Amino acid sequence: MSRARQPPLVTGISPNEGISWTKVTIRGENLGTGPTDLIGLTICGHNCLLTAEWMSASKIVCRVGQAKNDKGDIIVTTKSGGKGTSTVSFKLLKPEKIGILDQSAVWVDEMNYYDMRTDKNKGIPPLSLRPANPLGIEIDKSRFPQKDLEALFPGMSADFTSENFSAAWYLIENHSTTSFDQLKTAVVNLKKQANKKNEGSLAYVKGGLSTFFEAQDALSAIHQKLEADGTEKVEGSMTQKLENVLNRASNTADTLFQEVLGRKDKADSTRNALNVLQRFKFLFNLPLNIERNIQKGDYDVVINDYEKAKSLFGKTEVQVFKKYYAEVETRIEALRELLLDKLLETPSTLHDQKRYIRYLSDLHAPGDPAWQCIVAQHQWILQLMHNCKESYVKEQKGKDILYVYICNPLLHSPMLDLDSDVRPSSIGHLSQTASLKRGSSFQSGRDDAWRYKAPQQVVFVEKLTKLVVSQLPNFWKLWISYVNGSLFSETAEKSGQMERSKKNARQRQNDFKKMIQEVMHSLVKLIRGALLPFSLREGESRQYGGWEMKSELSSQWLTQVIQTVRLSSESLTALEIPNDMLQIIQDLILDLRVRCIIVTLQHTAEDIKRLAEKEDWVVDNEGLTSLPSQFEQCIIHSLQSLKIVLDCKPGEASVFQQQKTQEDVCQLSIGIVQVFIDCLEQLSTKPDGDIDTAHLSVDVSSPDLFGSIQEETSLSSEQRLLITLSNCRYLERHTFLNIAEHFEKHGFQGVEKITQVSMESLKELDQRLFEMYIEFKADPIVGSLEPGIYAGYFDWKDCLVPAG
């Protein structure tokens, strides 16, 4: 945790006295972290921030303004440390005033005068008005150590402008190798400079001779007029004429000095105008600078200048300042609108969103831009999801035209599959997503033809989950930043805006929770509409469905979808989204798992029904064909394909937790066994036109029976019955028991019932087949005995019942 910054402390100022606009160097501690951190500087109560130039955390250069007090402290204010203190003070000296007609030996260069105030155009500083080389001879700096000179002349200085000037130090430092003749020349130069100063008054008199002559002529005219009128003796007339003479003298004086006074007023006006323009040019140039910085994207500079102008001119009563400050506010309002538009633009990165929110908060934008951004982002994610569904539904309808060609087996050759993949594989990108890499190994072995072969609904689910997983993290992190106040700068924190934002966030927690739930509901319902349309309520099919279901998805594709949804759920869980918001996804995964098991068992029954076509009647040493083994392997393969579906991931419930699911799976399992039993019955009673009657008398116990069967191209009904009975006995003693173990191993419920019903059906078949075989064997014997039985017309009804 960083330590809080200390307030600024001024420990020195050089020089420590001077007139207005004197350039001073302020030294101290904690004087700011940069130019933008300096927000206030006063010397003797006057604001000197406009002329301040931040050099480092211990040094600031500025110019003294027209202070209110003759002597006062130097106060520095920064964003990071607040208002500081001072251990030194500055004394303001009053400049010598020169009247309009007073003689002055110095003409002040106005350009240099105003340039000294800004330090922008390097004008001539006051000290440079004095000669840099007073002796007028070549300067040759000595290599004499400075420390030795300071020790040799304690308390003295080599600066000829200083009060403690030491001529000996100056000569050692600048003219240690100068010859004696050159020093004589220097003495002559100094005398000439002194003579020029003494001749200053005489020079001004010579320069103003014309003015003196004009004044002399005017006085002479007045004197002559008085003499001409002196002959009059009337006192009243003399008084009147004296007044007239004085008036004419006054008018003559006004005429004489009118030009001088006019030039003086004009110069004062121009000087004041230049002074105002130069002193406040920051404000006058600010509107144009704001426009330029906005075009360049330097919003930080604009905000910093605006804060500075607001602190200086926000409450001004000067009309010209108010006018320019209004222009600044107009451009800042346009900037707020521009930043808000950029904030609500989609798509945008989380970094840009945070940046624009911070800018708007620093500009004191009305409303709550952060919440506006969250609402816009939420609507955009929902729109993306529905647009994704519409595009894939439309694409599926367009593919119906090519359905005939797609069903052609020739189109499924490996070469054509590779060349037909014209769209990029979204699942490939999904597997590369950082948030989905945990456990996503099922996509590694997929070829480029996957997307072409996959049903449109599967590709849609892959794309939809990738979209949500890529967009929702930024949406969630934006909310977290809004809650903890990390969206705002230090300025907003000091102004109390962060606290207001946190309060708004607490009030809007339920609204944001509804947004997340709406995204989750849309995701789940869109997947249900594509894969489980029967699970949607009435009225939702049009919004979330619209797919043309020609045939139900196979268990392979359902397993693929379950893996995809599981990975998406793991990625969303990693965002620390509350589990109650993600429960709807777990419910969807459970329904998909149940559906996958049902479909797998249904397809298994169809596969087993086709096993009858694979019976080759080739028997091994135990009198069995390959049919029982094929039946067992088919069921084991189906159960192994369901292993991923049956295994419970963290947070998932058992697929057999619902009673209805247990009953459905049990009935389907029994149905699979019953289908195989029906196949055995059909195979045993299969009609055969080429039955060899010679084999009917063959002894069943003969060890050569099955060997002779293998050599024959066709089997008799008697032989098929014997082989089927042998298979039934093996099924009863081995196969059904092995299958029951596999059912239990994979967590199936009601295995005892499945085994019991299967055994009963098998025993019934065995009994029927045995009776048929006995009938086959008994027919020749009965046929030979029956004529003799009825030869004597014997009737059992008339026969007495034996007794004893």
Side-chain angles (χ1 to χ4, degrees):
M1 190 170 180
S2 62
R3 188 181 60 182
R5 290 191 170 274
Q6 299 296 324
L9 174 63
V10 177
T11 58
I13 183 170
S14 176
N16 58 4
E17 62 179 14
I19 63 172
S20 298
W21 303 112
T22 299
K23 186 175 182 180
V24 296
T25 301
I26 301 171
R27 299 189 181 276
E29 301 174 359
N30 305 317
L31 300 184
T33 59
T36 58
D37 194 36
L38 182 63
I39 60 174
L41 174 60
T42 59
I43 299 178
C44 299
H46 186 272
N47 191 348
C48 302
L49 186 60
L50 281 178
T51 61
E53 181 179 0
W54 186 89
M55 307 300 290
S56 68
S58 60
K59 180 179 178 181
I60 298 174
V61 177
C62 71
R63 292 188 178 276
V64 181
Q66 296 178 352
K68 302 176 182 178
N69 304 317
D70 291 341
K71 189 174 184 178
D73 294 334
I74 301 94
I75 304 300
V76 177
T77 306
T78 62
K79 289 182 182 179
S80 58
K83 189 174 181 180
T85 56
S86 173
T87 61
V88 296
S89 59
F90 183 83
K91 182 178 181 181
L92 183 68
L93 303 178
K94 295 183 179 180
E96 183 181 355
K97 296 184 178 180
I98 301 177
I100 183 175
L101 296 181
D102 294 340
Q103 295 182 3
S104 175
V106 179
W107 170 257
V108 179
D109 188 349
E110 290 186 358
M111 289 303 294
N112 292 336
Y113 178 73
Y114 293 109
D115 285 343
M116 285 189 294
R117 298 186 178 187
T118 63
D119 212 22
K120 294 293 183 181
N121 301 320
K122 299 299 182 180
I124 302 175
L127 293 179
S128 65
L129 295 176
R130 303 173 184 180
N133 185 7
L135 298 183
I137 59 178
E138 183 180 358
I139 295 177
D140 185 8
K141 292 284 186 179
S142 70
R143 298 182 181 178
F144 202 79
Q146 190 73 16
K147 292 182 179 179
D148 294 344
L149 289 173
E150 292 177 356
L152 189 60
F153 301 98
M156 307 302 290
S157 171
D159 185 5
F160 61 88
T161 62
S162 174
E163 296 179 358
N164 301 324
F165 172 66
S166 173
W169 187 348
Y170 180 82
L171 290 175
I172 293 174
E173 184 176 357
N174 297 285
H175 300 285
S176 60
T177 59
T178 304
S179 64
F180 187 72
D181 293 334
Q182 288 180 325
L183 292 177
K184 286 182 177 181
T185 305
V187 172
V188 175
N189 294 336
L190 287 174
K191 290 181 178 180
K192 289 182 180 180
Q193 293 180 19
N195 292 333
K196 286 182 180 180
K197 291 183 180 180
N198 294 331
E199 294 174 357
S201 300
L202 182 60
Y204 276 100
V205 173
K206 293 179 179 179
L209 284 177
S210 60
T211 304
F212 294 148
F213 290 150
E214 290 178 1
Q216 181 66 28
D217 293 341
L219 292 175
S220 300
I222 294 173
H223 181 68
Q224 292 175 2
K225 187 66 175 175
L226 288 173
E227 288 181 349
D229 296 338
T231 54
E232 297 184 7
K233 304 297 183 180
V234 181
E235 183 178 357
S237 177
M238 281 294 295
T239 302
Q240 183 65 32
K241 288 186 178 293
L242 182 58
E243 290 179 357
N244 293 337
V245 171
L246 293 175
N247 289 335
R248 285 196 297 270
S250 176
N251 294 335
T252 303
D254 290 342
T255 304
L256 180 62
F257 291 101
Q258 186 174 6
E259 184 178 357
V260 178
L261 295 173
R263 285 199 302 268
K264 184 261 183 185
D265 292 339
K266 186 176 181 180
D268 289 345
S269 176
T270 304
R271 183 180 290 107
N272 290 334
L274 290 174
N275 186 9
V276 171
L277 288 174
Q278 194 67 26
R279 181 179 178 185
F280 301 103
K281 70 176 182 179
F282 164 75
L283 177 63
F284 298 143
N285 294 336
L286 188 55
L288 182 58
N289 290 337
I290 288 177
E291 291 184 359
R292 290 175 179 172
N293 289 325
I294 289 175
Q295 293 176 358
K296 292 188 295 184
D298 294 338
Y299 303 123
D300 287 308
V301 177
V302 175
I303 294 172
N304 187 57
D305 290 345
Y306 173 64
E307 288 293 336
K308 191 174 182 179
K310 187 175 182 180
S311 63
L312 293 173
F313 305 103
K315 299 180 180 180
T316 183
E317 296 297 332
V318 181
Q319 290 300 321
V320 66
F321 292 165
K322 291 176 68 175
K323 179 180 179 181
Y324 273 88
Y325 185 74
E327 289 290 331
V328 171
E329 287 288 359
T330 302
R331 284 159 175 78
I332 291 298
E333 183 61 33
L335 176 60
R336 292 192 187 104
E337 297 176 0
L338 173 65
L339 292 175
L340 185 59
D341 292 340
K342 286 182 175 292
L343 175 63
L344 300 182
E345 272 184 4
T346 51
S348 61
T349 63
L350 179 63
H351 173 74
D352 289 340
Q353 291 171 349
K354 288 184 175 180
R355 188 161 57 95
Y356 293 136
I357 290 172
R358 188 173 67 253
Y359 289 153
L360 288 169
S361 68
D362 290 344
L363 290 174
H364 307 287
D368 194 346
W371 179 250
Q372 290 178 273
C373 180
I374 291 174
V375 173
Q377 195 74 6
H378 169 248
Q379 294 298 329
W380 182 65
I381 293 175
L382 293 178
Q383 189 63 40
L384 278 181
M385 296 168 66
H386 286 281
N387 290 346
C388 180
K389 190 266 293 186
E390 294 297 334
S391 64
Y392 276 94
V393 169
K394 185 177 180 181
E395 190 172 356
Q396 183 196 42
K397 294 179 180 178
K399 282 189 172 184
D400 290 343
I401 302 174
L402 303 176
Y403 181 71
V404 176
Y405 300 98
I406 295 175
C407 293
N408 191 338
L410 295 177
L411 294 180
H412 292 290
S413 63
M415 183 63 69
L416 189 56
D417 284 339
L418 289 171
D419 296 339
S420 302
D421 187 14
V422 295
R423 300 189 312 274
S425 174
S426 63
I427 183 112
H429 293 297
L430 186 62
S431 66
Q432 296 170 4
T433 304
S435 59
L436 294 184
K437 281 188 175 180
R438 299 183 298 277
S440 58
S441 60
F442 66 94
Q443 300 157 348
S444 57
R446 188 173 309 158
D447 58 5
D448 294 336
W450 174 87
R451 191 178 174 94
Y452 178 81
K453 294 178 181 178
Q456 200 72 1
Q457 293 96 317
V458 177
V459 182
F460 161 70
V461 172
E462 297 281 358
K463 180 66 176 179
L464 181 66
T465 52
K466 176 189 174 184
L467 186 152
V468 173
V469 168
S470 63
Q471 296 299 329
L472 201 60
N474 285 346
F475 182 61
W476 179 260
K477 291 175 183 176
L478 181 64
W479 164 255
I480 296 301
S481 300
Y482 178 61
V483 171
N484 60 29
S486 62
L487 291 174
F488 307 102
S489 63
E490 294 181 0
T491 304
E493 183 177 3
K494 292 181 178 179
S495 64
Q497 190 167 356
M498 185 181 296
E499 291 300 325
R500 292 194 297 270
S501 174
K502 290 182 179 180
K503 182 179 179 181
N504 293 337
R506 288 192 295 270
Q507 295 175 350
R508 289 168 173 158
Q509 283 183 348
N510 291 332
D511 294 336
F512 182 77
K513 185 176 181 180
K514 291 179 182 178
M515 289 182 180
I516 294 293
Q517 290 175 342
E518 187 175 359
V519 173
M520 296 295 105
H521 278 80
S522 297
L523 172 65
V524 169
K525 289 182 179 179
L526 286 170
I527 296 177
R528 288 185 181 275
L531 305 176
L532 306 172
F534 53 83
S535 64
L536 294 177
R537 295 196 300 266
E538 294 183 6
E540 294 180 340
S541 299
R542 182 174 181 181
Q543 183 179 2
Y544 299 104
W547 300 86
E548 296 184 2
M549 307 290 287
K550 294 184 177 63
S551 61
E552 190 169 15
L553 293 179
S554 65
S555 59
Q556 174 190 0
W557 295 120
L558 284 173
T559 303
Q560 177 63 57
V561 170
I562 290 170
Q563 284 287 77
T564 301
V565 179
R566 276 175 168 173
L567 293 172
S568 303
S569 177
E570 291 177 9
S571 300
L572 297 178
T573 304
L575 294 175
E576 299 181 357
I577 297 177
N579 292 331
D580 58 340
M581 296 186 185
L582 300 177
Q583 183 58 40
I584 188 173
I585 298 182
Q586 296 298 331
D587 296 341
L588 169 65
I589 294 175
L590 180 61
D591 291 348
L592 289 173
R593 292 166 64 200
V594 171
R595 190 60 193 166
C596 184
I597 294 174
I598 299 297
V599 171
T600 301
L601 295 178
Q602 291 174 348
H603 290 175
T604 303
E606 296 174 1
D607 294 339
I608 290 176
K609 186 182 294 184
R610 290 192 290 269
L611 287 179
E613 303 172 2
K614 300 180 181 180
E615 177 61 276
D616 54 4
W617 297 105
V618 177
V619 269
D620 57 12
N621 295 333
E622 297 180 3
L624 304 172
T625 65
S626 61
L627 201 61
S629 176
Q630 292 180 3
F631 169 66
E632 182 177 351
Q633 291 300 321
C634 185
I635 291 182
I636 291 175
H637 178 74
S638 297
L639 293 178
Q640 288 177 345
S641 68
L642 289 174
K643 186 177 185 309
I644 297 177
V645 177
L646 292 172
D647 291 343
C648 295
K649 297 292 182 181
E652 294 181 357
S654 173
V655 75
F656 298 111
Q657 66 175 0
Q658 297 178 356
Q659 185 66 28
K660 184 178 183 304
T661 303
Q662 297 179 15
E663 295 175 357
D664 293 343
V665 171
C666 183
Q667 292 300 323
L668 286 172
S669 303
I670 294 173
I672 289 174
V673 178
Q674 189 62 49
V675 166
F676 184 66
I677 293 175
D678 293 342
C679 284
L680 292 176
E681 187 173 7
Q682 291 175 10
L683 287 171
S684 63
T685 60
K686 180 179 180 182
D688 193 343
D690 299 326
I691 299 177
D692 189 358
T693 57
H695 294 284
L696 293 176
S697 59
V698 177
D699 188 359
V700 178
S701 62
S702 173
D704 192 51
L705 173 64
F706 296 111
S708 63
I709 290 175
Q710 296 177 13
E711 297 174 0
E712 296 297 328
T713 57
S714 62
L715 296 175
S716 64
S717 298
E718 179 185 349
Q719 291 171 323
R720 284 198 295 269
L721 283 172
L722 284 174
I723 295 173
T724 305
L725 285 170
S726 178
N727 286 340
C728 287
R729 178 57 56 91
Y730 185 80
L731 289 170
E732 181 182 355
R733 294 182 177 179
H734 299 93
T735 304
F736 280 5
L737 297 178
N738 293 340
I739 291 174
E741 290 180 1
H742 282 284
F743 276 138
E744 291 180 351
K745 178 181 176 181
H746 287 84
F748 275 61
Q749 303 294 320
V751 178
E752 295 179 358
K753 180 180 179 180
I754 296 173
T755 306
Q756 179 183 356
V757 175
S758 302
M759 289 292 188
E760 291 175 357
S761 298
L762 185 64
K763 290 179 180 179
E764 291 177 2
L765 174 63
D766 183 87
Q767 183 67 28
R768 289 197 303 271
L769 295 181
F770 181 74
E771 290 176 357
M772 289 176 65
Y773 179 77
I774 294 299
E775 187 177 353
F776 273 120
K777 283 294 185 181
D779 279 348
I781 301 174
V782 173
S784 61
L785 293 176
E786 196 171 20
I789 293 176
Y790 295 104
Y793 301 98
F794 177 80
D795 191 355
W796 289 100
K797 295 180 181 180
D798 299 334
C799 180
L800 297 175
V801 179

